Amino acid sequence: MSGQVEFLRGEFQLIDWVRQRSASYPQVPVGIGDDAALLSPTSGEEVIVTTDMLMDGRHFIVGQTPPELIGRKSLAVNLSDIAAMGGRPIAAFISWALPRHQGRDLAESLFTGMAGLAREFDVSIAGGDTNSWDGPLVINVTVVGETIGQRRILRSGAQPGDVIFVTGPLGGSLAGRHLTFTPRISEAIDLVQRVRLNAMLDLSDGVASDLRHILNQSRVGATLDARSIPIHTDVDRHLPHREQLRKALTDGEDFELLFTVSGSDAEQLLANPPPGWKPIQIGNIDGELGCRIRTEKGIEPLPTGGWEHPLD
Amino acid sequence: MSGQVEFLRGEFQLIDWVRQRSASYPQVPVGIGDDAALLSPTSGEEVIVTTDMLMDGRHFIVGQTPPELIGRKSLAVNLSDIAAMGGRPIAAFISWALPRHQGRDLAESLFTGMAGLAREFDVSIAGGDTNSWDGPLVINVTVVGETIGQRRILRSGAQPGDVIFVTGPLGGSLAGRHLTFTPRISEAIDLVQRVRLNAMLDLSDGVASDLRHILNQSRVGATLDARSIPIHTDVDRHLPHREQLRKALTDGEDFELLFTVSGSDAEQLLANPPPGWKPIQIGNIDGELGCRIRTEKGIEPLPTGGWEHPLD
């Protein structure tokens, strides 16, 4: 690196290309082009930060998945985390390690997918880090957002007696929906404006796994109602019903929100749902630790069956 | 991924290990363990965001560089960018793709290096994303900070007549200093409190290359004074003086700050330097575009000689 006098313009040109295609927003007075970006969050709100890294061969396969959808997903999973905090996104920061010999074309397609989703949610692409190498594609996206006036919405606030809801049907996402899902930003804002959310998260590993984060951090238990679990049409209807249910609870990558509210807020939400969508009640928080499910056979422990990335 | 019922606990365990070793700070009410982190920046300040990705084989070589120093550097380069905006850091977010069969040991050493530096600057390690894979080590760090009361300090504010300073000697960093440098956070705060900084950046590619960002964005030119360029003791003193100078201007990875202030602010800064260090005057901004250097032979164009990562 030292003393090299060549002009290797590739990265600067790509950064210019990206900058020209990045919309500007008043909350991001300084975006791409300085040492760092400057954001102006709304006074009095807290700043939300989340980051996700996606790798070729692990989260997608270059050559099998259209790069626009890879780019889109790398932003979408972060927007989903902002939604899970009941906030709205402001700016995204894209770092990528691009395979050297397809870097520019791949980068443009990835960026096109990101930029389309960013525009839908008024998110500024405000910075990042562009590298090329001989390894596989790696994309890291950080999204910075802000809260919208409610008290903090964490995983630790669920109370016995709360009703558990999800924002949409579950299961079968890996058939394709995991690449094209809509992050539930507007649904989160609808909820924050209507009720007091005691706990919320976005479903990445499946209800059976993710709900446990709320139960553990809130020191409560839950009983789900099998008949109420909304099974997505992406789940094969030819499977036995119990297998469909298992898939809805464990497939993961749903990116729907799961949240808990008091009984009275639940009644209000069901009586006056937000315009255009309706939360789906799937069970209750109770004081007895552990996670159970009520089926036609009675109440039984809920198999976790979520997946976690190995690290050995 | 779908329907996998195994419990592969590695990543969750590592995240717990990291969380237990992360100091807590009042400006980060929610760190690791929820869908996203919550920060409380000082009211009225702007939020600074920067991100850098470092890759094995590109920015370091696992097996040759101690992993503690790799971890330290991955945070240090981001802190340097926060300094370049005249701000102070609040929180860091670490994403990593860890080589599968050395993941845990490597991760602990990397984290130890980061955490030490984070503590020095009261930075909360407030989130991230942990992955393992069959590829080489990739680390992405995002740092969020805040401004400290001055107007924005950008690359675009240099004025003809400004004096150009750097915070320390230059060149030879790749002999080792690039892994151990101290990000100039406290020097930046010293400056913001004393003078009006018209333009500032941190030196990653060398003065000859980086100064051009200020010149281009400010639409000004500069003349450096060869006798004033501070040559670091890491530069081989047996080289001809002109070669030493070239290395000081083009080696890169100095991570000193380069800044410009008005003539009167320059006088004040030299007469009453901050405690413990003294800015080094290296030249002047002038209205004639381009970058020149004054040597014993007269004024000549400054060779750029900076380096940029290829992307082909």
Side-chain angles (χ1 to χ4, degrees):
Chain A
M1 306 191 289
S2 160
Q4 193 177 326
V5 194
E6 298 165 70
F7 279 105
L8 299 160
R9 308 298 304 174
E11 290 184 13
F12 283 172
Q13 284 175 1
L14 176 59
I15 293 165
D16 278 343
W17 184 93
V18 165
R19 177 161 39 181
Q20 286 157 17
R21 282 158 186 80
S22 301
S24 65
Y25 296 94
Q27 280 199 305
V28 185
V30 177
I32 297 169
D34 217 294
D35 293 276
L38 293 179
L39 316 187
S40 299
T42 305
S43 174
E45 298 293 348
E46 289 188 328
V47 168
I48 309 171
V49 186
T50 184
T51 191
D52 268 295
M53 180 176 274
L54 303 186
M55 295 116 71
D56 183 15
R58 191 66 209 276
H59 301 93
F60 55 81
I61 296 176
V62 171
Q64 289 183 19
T65 307
E68 290 81 1
L69 291 182
I70 297 172
R72 184 189 188 282
K73 180 172 181 177
S74 69
L75 177 58
V77 294
N78 283 284
L79 297 182
S80 187
D81 283 322
I82 299 288
M85 303 301 281
R88 59 173 213 83
I90 297 174
F93 300 84
I94 319 292
S95 299
W96 41 25
L98 297 160
R100 195 177 301 278
H101 294 291
Q102 49 180 155
R104 179 65 190 251
D105 284 352
L106 182 60
E108 290 192 6
S109 300
L110 291 166
F111 180 79
T112 300
M114 287 178 205
L117 186 65
R119 269 191 299 273
E120 276 182 55
F121 289 99
D122 291 339
V123 174
S124 168
I125 295 178
D129 189 20
T130 297
N131 299 279
S132 57
W133 73 334
D134 296 320
L137 175 64
V138 178
I139 309 176
N140 192 86
V141 178
T142 303
V143 173
V144 179
E146 63 180 17
T147 53
I148 48 172
Q150 219 213 21
R151 70 200 174 106
R152 291 170 194 153
I153 302 161
L154 306 180
R155 295 174 171 185
S156 54
Q159 301 288 332
D162 276 6
V163 179
I164 306 170
F165 288 91
V166 292
T167 51
L170 309 172
S173 176
L174 290 168
R177 199 169 86 245
H178 73 110
L179 293 167
T180 58
F181 72 91
T182 300
R184 299 306 186 197
I185 295 285
S186 66
E187 289 79 2
I189 294 172
D190 283 341
L191 293 170
V192 168
Q193 290 171 339
R194 277 169 179 75
V195 290
R196 169 179 277 217
L197 293 158
N198 284 342
M200 185 154 72
L201 51 64
D202 71 319
L203 292 167
S204 54
D205 294 348
V207 167
S209 177
D210 290 329
L211 175 56
R212 268 160 229 273
H213 299 307
I214 287 181
L215 303 187
N216 292 340
Q217 293 186 38
S218 303
R219 298 170 193 273
V220 293
T223 305
L224 300 183
D225 180 1
R227 289 168 312 174
S228 307
I229 305 295
I231 298 172
H232 199 283
T233 53
D234 286 347
V235 175
D236 183 354
R237 291 292 152 153
H238 298 99
L239 292 172
H241 182 262
R242 194 174 168 90
E243 177 60 13
Q244 290 183 39
L245 181 64
R246 195 188 66 76
K247 290 182 70 62
L249 292 172
T250 65
D251 274 357
E253 302 258 328
D254 298 303
F255 298 107
E256 298 292 345
L257 300 173
L258 180 150
F259 60 94
T260 84
V261 298
S262 70
S264 59
D265 271 348
E267 276 176 36
Q268 188 193 317
L269 205 49
L270 292 170
N272 297 297
W277 69 285
K278 194 167 179 177
I280 303 158
Q281 181 175 347
I282 62 166
N284 288 84
I285 297 292
D286 39 43
E288 187 192 340
L289 296 185
C291 190
R292 294 158 294 279
I293 189 161
R294 182 182 297 108
T295 67
E296 67 276 17
K297 297 179 189 170
I299 292 176
E300 55 187 303
L302 177 65
T304 304
W307 52 271
E308 190 194 355
H309 315 308
L311 181 70
D312 45 21
Chain B
M1 303 192 291
S2 158
Q4 193 175 329
V5 194
E6 297 165 71
F7 279 104
L8 300 161
R9 309 297 305 174
E11 290 185 13
F12 283 171
Q13 283 175 2
L14 177 59
I15 293 164
D16 278 343
W17 185 91
V18 165
R19 178 161 36 179
Q20 285 156 18
R21 281 154 188 81
S22 301
S24 66
Y25 295 95
Q27 281 198 303
V28 185
V30 177
I32 297 169
D34 217 294
D35 294 275
L38 292 178
L39 316 187
S40 300
T42 305
S43 175
E45 298 294 348
E46 289 187 328
V47 169
I48 310 172
V49 187
T50 184
T51 190
D52 268 295
M53 181 177 273
L54 303 186
M55 295 117 70
D56 184 15
R58 190 67 208 277
H59 301 93
F60 56 80
I61 296 177
V62 171
Q64 288 183 20
T65 307
E68 290 80 1
L69 291 182
I70 297 172
R72 184 189 188 281
K73 181 172 181 176
S74 69
L75 176 58
V77 295
N78 283 285
L79 297 182
S80 187
D81 283 321
I82 298 288
M85 304 302 281
R88 59 172 212 83
I90 298 174
F93 300 84
I94 319 292
S95 300
W96 41 25
L98 297 161
R100 196 178 299 279
H101 294 292
Q102 49 179 156
R104 179 63 190 252
D105 283 352
L106 183 60
E108 291 193 6
S109 300
L110 292 165
F111 180 79
T112 300
M114 288 178 204
L117 187 65
R119 268 190 300 271
E120 276 183 54
F121 290 98
D122 291 338
V123 174
S124 167
I125 295 179
D129 189 20
T130 296
N131 299 279
S132 58
W133 72 335
D134 296 319
L137 175 64
V138 179
I139 309 177
N140 191 87
V141 177
T142 303
V143 173
V144 179
E146 64 180 16
T147 54
I148 49 171
Q150 220 213 21
R151 70 199 174 104
R152 290 171 195 152
I153 301 161
L154 306 181
R155 296 173 171 186
S156 54
Q159 301 288 331
D162 277 6
V163 179
I164 306 171
F165 289 91
V166 292
T167 48
L170 309 172
S173 175
L174 291 168
R177 200 170 84 247
H178 71 110
L179 292 168
T180 58
F181 71 92
T182 300
R184 298 306 185 198
I185 295 284
S186 66
E187 290 78 3
I189 294 172
D190 282 342
L191 293 169
V192 167
Q193 289 171 340
R194 276 169 179 75
V195 290
R196 170 179 277 217
L197 294 158
N198 284 341
M200 186 155 70
L201 51 66
D202 70 320
L203 292 166
S204 53
D205 294 349
V207 167
S209 176
D210 290 330
L211 176 56
R212 270 160 228 272
H213 299 307
I214 287 181
L215 303 186
N216 292 340
Q217 293 185 36
S218 302
R219 297 168 194 274
V220 293
T223 305
L224 300 183
D225 180 1
R227 289 168 313 173
S228 308
I229 305 295
I231 298 173
H232 200 281
T233 53
D234 286 347
V235 175
D236 183 354
R237 292 292 153 154
H238 299 98
L239 294 171
H241 182 262
R242 195 175 168 88
E243 178 59 12
Q244 290 183 39
L245 181 64
R246 194 188 66 75
K247 289 182 70 61
L249 292 171
T250 64
D251 274 356
E253 304 257 330
D254 298 302
F255 299 107
E256 297 292 345
L257 300 173
L258 180 151
F259 60 95
T260 85
V261 298
S262 70
S264 59
D265 271 348
E267 277 176 36
Q268 188 193 318
L269 206 50
L270 292 169
N272 297 296
W277 71 283
K278 194 168 177 177
I280 304 157
Q281 181 174 347
I282 63 166
N284 289 82
I285 297 292
D286 39 43
E288 187 191 341
L289 297 185
C291 191
R292 294 159 295 279
I293 187 160
R294 183 181 296 109
T295 67
E296 67 276 17
K297 297 178 186 169
I299 292 176
E300 55 186 302
L302 176 66
T304 304
W307 53 271
E308 192 194 357
H309 314 308
L311 181 71
D312 44 22

